[in-house]
């Protein structure tokens, strides 16, 4: 805030200097100044010649004078400009009701027209409207440069001594209003200000709050010393500092971070965010802060950013704490570390890296962010990728995936992949590119639809199942070759045929050998050495589209269309669990032969696959409107699918799945899904048996399917007329240009989620309903029903708004989660109340503070809740 408090004073001296130091007596009318009155030029021509050398050396651009009336005191060399007087120099303009230029004293004075001249202008001895005239009519001094403007009651400047003053100056900058009763410029860099005032309240008179400094000294682009600084609410002083010292340099610069003080019932007095910001260079910066709590301990945070446009960006962030996380005498150490790096190498290569490392349960007990509390895994990875054109690419990856609950992890150190994209095998060649030419499908010969793609990958994997388990290591490589025949219409033109064959070869540095122990149990050991898997599969499919159009001409409905998309496919895969392939080992255990996978599932499932899949997609569409403005609407989509495995020994027919999806309006959508089994359920055995339903009552008995599962989802969004609902606010602009492209690593992971309420909408609500009926076991059917209310808000009055989020279990008739938000607009202040009555993060937060972002730390707040015992930075921890 202090940086903006004296913007008006810096602004005044900085922009008035170029004009006044150059506004000497015009020596050459064409090259130095343009006077829009020939009488002024001729009257002062003699005097001007005496100062030609001095004036011509100061001015580097024309100066334009303009006024409704001019008076010239030739004896004293004074020029008076009356009525909409204006002086222009480069991009700067000074306007006033009256401008006086004393050429001998090198003095310029800008002030409003006196009442006597206003009366004279209106042609009366006394103007009854003089006291009620607006400032624009009086001509109060107005200085502008580009989009910056400043007004005052009087402006004076001596362009010989480079000193001046502004009486009751006023300006606006970045949503703030600035005022000074008197500003004196003593040299080009130093200003003295009396009674400086700053506020973001837009009330011209009696703002709701303001800051005032009685005496201030400003050294431009260096610092400000003020004493005392008083904070007023209305006209009541509520806080005072005997003096203040702060920098005024613009842009990024190093400096201390002012801490916040307070007290907590659970942690005592605290000092938060005491730190230092270090602007290392244009490409690097760093920030470190410390929170200290009298009873519980301390928390240290650090953040390092670096960036170079069009080259790389990155961030490193971490925290370390030693605090009481539970009510006990023991203090535990907790920490977290995150990083992110993005770098481009030309147009075809890129390096992306990101990672999160944290001690156990750090976010669960210490963060106030719900998403962070629920996150039980962390992932770190780095990937280098390179594309070579012609659909060829290479990538190298290292990753670490860890479960915070049981300590299990999986690490790839490293993993490589090389991909050759799909390309034609046959066809005419482009001599320049030495690749097959791309022709339209209908212009190709059938053999030109043969394609091939190849990919190769290798990895070195380390894994652990739990904290107590040993670490397993596995090195492997695989090569995939895919041959396909796409889009052929060999039989009939309306039928589209596709075929493909996939060949996979996997290499490993070990495999598992199984053996029978003396007690007839199965043991295993690792057989290190080269081992290979060779797998292959074949698939073919045929599909087409059938159209049916109806033209009912019912009101605005012009036509209805039904599009049927049937598809039939066949896939084949051998039984790689057969011992003949060598991928499974067969042992006789307790008189029964069993097969054991020697490659930990890499060979796929057991059994041969020779299946046919069938699906039918139905799309229903409607056309409405006049012929010249027809509008096509997709009403709903109905899909059925199943498959039959000819090679399976039992349960050859898979379940029939069906789905219905509709999006009739922008605000409403629904989706229904169902699964039916073709097989009967044996109540006595308590399982599905290998007996088709129709066999019980015969083919014409009417029973073919059994419902096993049904689900329904629907969503509805409503809002009153007003602004666009559910539109997040624009992100705040960063002061540092280089930080615009930084990865989202340095964000505060311990802070709560941001809340946004669009108060321009009188009311809004989003409902989602999810129902599920499970009847896999007809003896024990189960039903779940959950209703979620999102973004529900109601603007009670112009200034009051209430918002609610809730999840309800309709089956149990209970509330799963609920959150309430009450907001009160207090002009330049805002009151917010957040309440979570149930759950792990239950608590409340009350805040009364100034709206302006630069003054967000000026607030009154109260917090409470069970999470307050877990740390000082918790959202509800201070109350």
């Amino acid at each position: 805030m202090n940086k903006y408090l004296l913007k008006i004073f810096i602004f005044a001296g900085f922009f008035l200097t170029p004009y006044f130091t150059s506004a000497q007596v015009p020596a050459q009318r064409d090259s130095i100044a343009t006077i829009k009155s020939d009488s002024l030029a001729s009257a002062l021509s003699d005097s001007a010649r005496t100062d030609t050398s001095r004036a011509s050396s100061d001015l580097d651009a024309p100066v334009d004078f303009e006024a409704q009336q001019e008076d010239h005191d030739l004896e004293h060399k004074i020029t008076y400009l009356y009525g909409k007087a204006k002086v222009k120099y480069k991009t700067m303009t000074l306007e006033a009701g009256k401008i006086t230029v004393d050429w001998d004293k090198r003095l310029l004075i800008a002030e409003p027209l006196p009442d006597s001249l206003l009366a004279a202008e209106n042609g009366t001895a006394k103007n009854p409207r003089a006291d009620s005239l607006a400032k624009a009519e009086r001509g109060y001094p107005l200085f502008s440069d580009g989009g910056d403007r400043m007004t005052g009651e009087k402006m004076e400047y001596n362009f010989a001594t480079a000193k001046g003053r502004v009486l009751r100056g006023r300006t606006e900058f970045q949503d703030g209003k600035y005022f000074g009763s008197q500003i004196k410029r003593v040299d080009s860099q130093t200003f003295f200000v009396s009674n400086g005032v700053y506020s973001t309240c837009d009330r011209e008179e009696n703002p709701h709050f303001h800051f005032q400094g009685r005496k201030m000294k400003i050294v431009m682009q260096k610092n400000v010393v003020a004493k005392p600084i008083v904070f007023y609410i209305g006209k009541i002083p509520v806080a005072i500092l005997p003096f203040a010292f702060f920098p005024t340099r613009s842009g990024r610069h190093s400096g201390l971070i002012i801490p916040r003080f307070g007290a907590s019932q659970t942690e005592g007095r605290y000092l938060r965010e005491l730190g230092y910001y270090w602007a290392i260079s244009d490409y690097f910066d760093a920030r470190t802060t410390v929170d200290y709590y009298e009873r519980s301990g301390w928390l240290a945070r650090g953040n390092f950013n670096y960036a170079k446009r069009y080259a790389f960006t990155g961030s490193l962030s971490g925290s370390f704490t030693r605090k009481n996380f539970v009510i006990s005498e023991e203090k535990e150490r907790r920490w977290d570390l995150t990083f992110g790096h993005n770098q481009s190498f030309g147009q075809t290569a890129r390096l992306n890296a990101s990672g999160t490392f944290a001690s156990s349960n750090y976010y669960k007990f210490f963060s106030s962010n719900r998403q962070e509390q629920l996150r039980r895994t962390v992932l770190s990875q780095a990937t280098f990728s390179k594309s070579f054109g012609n659909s060829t690419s290479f990538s190298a990856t290292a990753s670490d995936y860890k479960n915070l609950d049981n300590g299990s992890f999986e690490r790839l150190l490293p993993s490589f992949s090389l991909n050759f994209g799909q390309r034609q095998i046959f066809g005419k060649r482009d001599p320049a590119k030495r690749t097959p030419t791309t022709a339209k499908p209908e212009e190709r010969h059938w053999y030109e639809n043969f394609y091939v793609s190849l990919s190769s990958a290798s990895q070195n994997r380390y894994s652990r199942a739990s904290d107590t388990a040993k670490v397993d290591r596995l090195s492997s490589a695989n090569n995939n070759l895919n041959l396909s025949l796409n889009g052929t219409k060999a039989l009939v033109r309306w039928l589209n045929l596709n075929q493909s064959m996939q060949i996979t070869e996997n290499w490993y540095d070990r495999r598992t050998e199984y053996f029978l122990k003396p007690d007839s149990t199965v043991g295993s050991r690792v057989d290190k050495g080269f081992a290979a898997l060779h797998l292959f599969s074949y698939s073919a499919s045929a599909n087409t589209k059938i159209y049916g159009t109806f033209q009912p001409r019912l009101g605005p409905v012009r036509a209805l269309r039904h599009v049927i998309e049937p598809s039939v496919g066949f896939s084949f895969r051998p039984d790689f669990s057969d011992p003949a392939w060598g991928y499974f080992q067969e042992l006789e255990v307790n008189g029964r032969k069993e097969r054991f996978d020697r490659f930990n599932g890499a060979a796929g499932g057991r059994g041969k696959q020779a299946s046919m899949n069938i699906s039918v997609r139905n799309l229903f569409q409607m056309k409405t409107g006049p012929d010249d403005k027809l509008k096509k609407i997709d009403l709903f989509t109905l899909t059925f699918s199943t498959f039959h495995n000819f090679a399976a020994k039992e349960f050859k027919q898979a379940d029939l799945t069906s789905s219905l999806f509709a999006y009739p309006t922008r605000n409403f959508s629904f989706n229904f899904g169902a699964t039916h089994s073709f097989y009967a359920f044996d109540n006595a055995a308590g399982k599905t048996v290998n007996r088709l339903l129709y066999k019980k009552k015969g083919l014409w008995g009417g029973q073919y399917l059994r419902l096993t599962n049904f689900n329904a989802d629907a969503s509805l969004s409503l809002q009153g007329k007003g602004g666009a609902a559910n539109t997040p606010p624009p992100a705040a602009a960063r002061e540092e240009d280089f930080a615009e492209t930084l990865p989202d690593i340095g964000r505060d992971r311990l802070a709560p989620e941001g809340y946004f309420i669009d108060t321009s909408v009188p009311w809004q609500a989003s409902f989602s309903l999810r129902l599920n009926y499970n009847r896999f076991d007809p003896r024990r059917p189960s039903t779940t029903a959950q209703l979620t209310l999102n973004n529900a808000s109601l603007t009670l009055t112009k200034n009051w708004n209430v918002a609610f989020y809730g999840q309800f279990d309709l089956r149990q008739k209970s509330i799963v989660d609920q959150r309430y938000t009450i907001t009160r607009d207090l002009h330049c202040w805002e009151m917010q109340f957040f309440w979570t009555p149930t759950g792990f993060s239950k608590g409340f937060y009350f805040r009364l503070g100034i709206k302006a972002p630069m003054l967000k730390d000026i607030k009154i707040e109260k917090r409470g809740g069970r999470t307050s015992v877990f740390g000082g930075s918790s959202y509800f921890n201070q109350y």
Side-chain angles (χ1 to χ4, degrees):
M1 180 278 302
N2 294 330
K3 178 173 64 175
Y4 303 104
L5 179 58
L6 303 175
K7 182 68 179 178
I8 176 175
F9 314 134
I10 300 174
F11 176 88
F14 181 77
F15 287 113
L16 287 176
T17 301
Y19 167 68
F20 289 122
T21 55
S22 61
Q24 306 290 341
V25 178
Q28 296 183 10
R29 181 175 167 186
D30 294 333
S31 62
I32 303 231
T34 301
I35 311 299
K36 294 195 173 180
S37 172
D38 293 336
S39 60
L40 177 60
S42 60
L44 298 176
S45 59
D46 294 336
S47 301
R49 293 189 185 95
T50 63
D51 295 326
T52 299
S53 60
R54 177 168 46 193
S56 60
S57 64
D58 290 336
L59 291 174
D60 58 355
V63 179
D64 294 336
F65 297 87
E66 182 179 336
Q68 294 177 337
Q69 181 182 347
E70 304 167 4
D71 286 340
H72 314 292
D73 187 340
L74 301 181
E75 180 180 357
H76 299 94
K77 298 180 184 179
I78 299 177
T79 300
Y80 301 95
L81 304 177
Y82 299 104
K84 298 181 181 179
K86 182 183 297 185
V87 179
K88 292 184 179 179
Y89 176 74
K90 291 185 177 180
T91 61
M92 294 167 285
T93 303
L94 176 64
E95 302 177 56
K98 177 184 177 183
I99 296 179
T100 303
V101 183
D102 190 327
W103 301 102
D104 276 345
K105 295 181 179 179
R106 301 294 187 265
L107 184 64
L108 184 145
I109 302 173
E111 56 191 335
L113 284 170
D115 291 344
S116 58
L117 291 181
L118 285 172
E121 280 190 344
N122 286 275
T124 61
K126 184 178 180 181
N127 182 7
R129 292 196 313 118
D131 294 336
S132 61
L133 286 174
K135 291 184 179 181
E137 294 176 293
R138 288 182 177 273
Y140 278 85
L142 171 63
F143 178 81
S144 61
D145 183 78
D148 297 321
R149 298 162 62 89
M150 182 182 69
T151 61
E153 292 189 0
K154 189 175 183 180
M155 297 183 183
E156 298 179 358
Y157 192 81
N158 188 307
F159 43 82
T161 63
K163 296 181 180 181
R165 66 174 182 168
V166 179
L167 299 180
R168 300 185 65 81
R170 184 186 298 270
T171 188
E172 296 182 11
F173 182 75
Q174 293 188 353
D175 299 327
K177 297 181 181 295
Y178 310 85
F179 171 81
S181 62
Q182 185 171 214
I183 309 167
K184 290 184 179 181
R185 185 179 189 271
V186 297
D187 58 44
S188 60
Q189 297 293 321
T190 307
F191 296 82
F192 288 106
V193 182
S194 62
N195 297 322
V197 175
Y198 164 77
S199 178
T200 59
C201 182
D202 58 8
R203 292 183 62 177
E204 292 291 340
E205 302 294 336
N206 300 321
H208 291 117
F209 78 94
H210 68 274
F211 297 85
Q212 183 170 336
R214 186 166 56 88
K215 294 180 180 181
M216 301 181 185
K217 179 182 178 181
I218 306 171
V219 180
M220 291 183 59
Q221 293 298 314
K222 190 174 181 181
N223 56 54
V224 173
V225 179
K227 64 175 185 180
I229 294 292
V230 183
F231 175 53
Y232 288 84
I233 296 181
K235 295 183 179 181
I236 303 174
V238 295
I240 184 171
L241 289 175
F243 69 93
F245 175 87
F246 43 87
T248 59
R249 285 178 294 174
S250 58
R252 298 169 52 245
H253 58 274
S254 303
L256 291 174
I257 299 174
I258 306 302
R260 290 184 289 168
F261 304 88
S264 166
Q265 289 186 356
T266 57
E267 298 181 294
R269 291 171 294 185
Y270 62 81
L271 180 69
R272 301 185 61 187
E273 297 186 5
L274 171 64
Y276 187 80
Y277 173 78
W278 185 18
I280 305 172
S281 70
D282 291 339
Y283 306 102
F284 304 92
D285 73 354
R287 182 180 188 271
T288 180
T289 61
V290 175
D291 300 349
Y292 175 74
Y293 299 86
E294 186 178 31
R295 299 176 187 170
S296 60
W298 51 271
L299 166 70
R301 306 188 212 189
N303 189 61
F304 175 73
N305 301 316
Y306 57 92
K308 185 177 182 181
R309 186 164 294 182
Y310 310 122
F312 56 81
T313 61
S315 177
L316 178 66
S317 175
S319 64
F320 181 83
T321 182
R322 188 180 180 188
K323 297 184 62 178
N324 286 325
F325 287 84
V326 295
I327 302 176
S328 67
E329 296 299 327
E330 182 180 0
K331 291 189 176 182
E332 301 182 31
R333 291 181 175 87
R334 304 286 176 91
W335 58 271
D336 82 321
L337 179 68
T338 64
F339 73 91
H341 179 83
N342 298 320
Q343 185 170 358
S344 298
F345 303 91
Q347 299 293 325
T348 60
R350 189 169 186 85
L351 174 64
N352 297 317
S354 63
T356 300
F357 304 91
S359 57
S360 178
N361 293 325
Y362 181 69
Y363 299 126
K364 179 178 180 180
F365 293 126
F366 198 65
S367 177
S368 298
N369 188 297
R370 287 172 175 265
Q371 295 181 354
E372 295 293 346
Q373 290 175 353
L374 297 175
R375 186 171 67 162
R376 309 309 308 140
T377 60
V378 291
L379 173 65
S380 302
Q381 62 181 7
T383 302
F384 173 79
S385 59
K386 168 72 175 178
S387 61
F388 301 94
N390 198 21
S391 302
T392 302
S393 63
F394 167 80
S395 67
T397 301
S399 66
D400 180 272
Y401 177 84
K402 183 178 181 180
N403 187 299
L404 298 177
D405 289 328
N406 58 21
S408 64
F409 65 80
E410 181 175 312
R411 295 169 183 162
L412 297 179
L413 298 172
S415 173
F416 301 98
S417 67
L418 180 64
N419 297 295
F420 298 91
Q422 182 174 270
R423 61 196 68 193
Q424 281 180 287
I425 300 177
F426 307 105
K428 297 179 181 180
R429 296 273 169 172
D430 187 337
K433 300 182 180 179
R434 297 183 180 181
T435 57
T437 57
T438 57
K440 296 181 179 179
E442 58 270 15
E443 298 176 355
R444 299 174 187 167
H445 297 289
W446 68 271
Y447 56 83
E448 292 180 325
N449 290 305
F450 277 102
Y451 289 85
V452 61
S453 63
L454 177 65
S455 65
S456 179
S458 62
Q459 63 181 15
N460 192 33
R461 182 169 61 91
Y462 298 84
S463 61
R464 186 177 67 182
S466 65
D467 283 328
T468 58
K470 67 177 183 178
V471 177
D472 294 325
R473 177 183 174 273
L474 177 66
S475 297
S476 63
N478 63 77
N479 301 288
N480 294 315
L481 176 67
N482 187 284
L483 300 173
S484 60
L485 178 62
N486 298 333
T488 59
K489 295 180 171 61
L491 300 178
V492 288
R493 297 191 61 85
W494 50 266
L495 188 63
N496 188 28
L497 300 177
N498 296 281
Q499 303 180 68
S500 68
M501 175 175 285
Q502 184 173 6
I503 302 173
T504 302
E505 182 180 38
N506 296 337
W507 297 340
Y508 298 93
D509 66 344
R510 68 196 64 195
R511 63 181 180 179
T512 305
E513 294 289 340
Y514 297 90
F515 58 90
L516 283 176
K517 295 180 180 181
D519 58 356
S520 298
T521 60
V522 179
S524 64
R525 60 176 174 266
V526 176
D527 182 14
K528 294 186 178 181
F530 178 78
L533 275 175
H534 300 87
L535 310 174
F536 63 90
S537 63
Y538 169 80
S539 64
S541 65
N543 58 78
T544 188
K545 289 185 179 182
I546 304 172
Y547 298 90
T549 304
F550 311 91
Q551 296 179 340
R553 299 282 180 177
L554 297 175
V557 180
R558 310 307 300 272
L560 297 173
R561 187 169 75 168
H562 180 196
V563 183
I564 306 175
E565 301 179 30
S567 176
V568 178
F570 176 79
S571 61
F572 172 79
R573 183 178 181 277
D575 182 8
F576 290 109
S577 66
D578 191 323
W581 294 94
Y583 307 147
F584 282 72
Q585 185 176 352
E586 189 174 76
L587 298 176
E588 186 172 343
V589 182
N590 298 324
R592 187 178 62 179
K593 292 184 178 181
E594 295 185 14
R595 295 177 180 179
F596 300 90
D597 190 349
R598 306 173 71 179
F599 292 92
N600 297 320
R606 295 173 173 82
K608 181 180 179 181
Q609 180 179 338
S611 62
M612 180 178 67
N613 58 76
I614 303 173
S615 67
V616 180
R617 180 175 181 266
N618 299 271
L619 174 62
F620 295 86
Q621 299 173 314
M622 178 176 65
K623 284 186 177 180
T624 62
D627 294 335
D628 57 339
K629 293 183 179 180
L630 287 175
K631 182 179 180 181
K632 184 175 71 174
I633 302 174
D634 292 341
L635 296 176
F636 61 91
T637 302
L638 180 62
T639 305
F640 302 94
S641 64
T642 185
F643 70 90
H644 185 87
N645 189 357
F646 298 96
K649 294 182 179 180
E650 57 181 3
F651 300 107
K652 295 184 176 183
Q653 186 63 45
D655 292 345
L656 174 67
T657 61
S658 54
S659 65
L660 173 66
F661 176 76
Y663 199 178
T665 68
R666 285 183 55 189
N667 302 326
F668 178 63
S669 66
F670 61 88
N671 181 26
F672 299 103
T675 303
H676 291 80
S677 175
F678 291 89
Y679 295 92
F681 186 87
D682 190 334
N683 290 327
K687 64 178 182 179
T688 301
V689 294
N690 187 33
R691 184 180 70 247
L692 294 172
L693 281 171
Y694 77 90
K695 290 185 178 181
K696 183 177 181 179
K697 296 184 179 181
L699 185 62
W700 308 107
Q703 187 175 5
Y704 308 100
L705 298 170
R706 177 175 62 87
L707 177 66
T708 58
N709 187 76
F710 173 80
N711 61 78
D713 296 278
S715 63
L716 174 65
S717 299
L718 302 172
Q719 72 174 46
K721 294 183 179 180
N726 303 328
T727 302
R734 304 182 188 228
E735 295 183 6
E736 301 86 353
D737 293 338
F738 82 92
E740 293 178 356
T741 57
L742 287 177
D744 188 24
I745 297 297
R747 63 180 177 85
D748 191 350
R749 299 169 297 282
L750 307 181
E753 306 94 325
Y755 293 87
F756 170 67
I757 300 174
D758 189 353
T759 55
S760 63
V761 179
W763 61 271
Q764 61 178 324
S766 297
F767 301 88
S768 62
L769 177 65
R770 172 165 294 184
L771 305 175
N772 181 267
Y773 175 63
N774 189 307
R775 203 172 179 275
F776 180 82
D777 185 349
R779 303 171 303 170
R780 301 180 182 87
S782 62
T783 304
T784 60
Q786 181 173 290
L787 175 66
T788 302
L789 180 57
N790 290 302
N791 301 323
S793 67
L794 174 64
T795 302
L796 301 175
T797 65
K798 180 182 178 181
N799 299 317
W800 281 96
N801 184 278
V802 179
F804 174 73
Y805 168 84
Q807 289 185 350
F808 309 92
D809 189 329
L810 303 181
R811 182 70 176 175
Q812 300 295 330
K813 297 180 181 180
S814 62
I815 299 177
V816 178
D817 189 16
Q818 55 182 323
R819 287 173 249 167
Y820 300 86
T821 303
I822 301 175
T823 304
R824 173 65 162 91
D825 190 316
L826 299 169
H827 194 250
C828 52
W829 292 70
E830 185 179 46
M831 184 276 291
Q832 295 175 308
F833 180 74
F834 304 103
W835 181 36
T836 303
T838 59
F840 181 81
S841 298
K842 69 178 181 180
F844 71 88
Y845 173 57
F846 172 83
R847 180 185 184 276
L848 176 63
I850 298 175
K851 286 183 181 179
M854 69 282 292
L855 301 176
K856 62 181 181 180
D857 288 330
I858 301 178
K859 61 184 181 295
I860 300 172
E861 58 183 359
K862 187 177 181 65
R863 310 168 189 256
R866 59 178 291 183
T867 56
S868 62
V869 302
F870 296 125
S873 290
S874 183
Y875 186 46
F876 301 113
N877 70 324
Q878 296 148 15
Y879 57 93

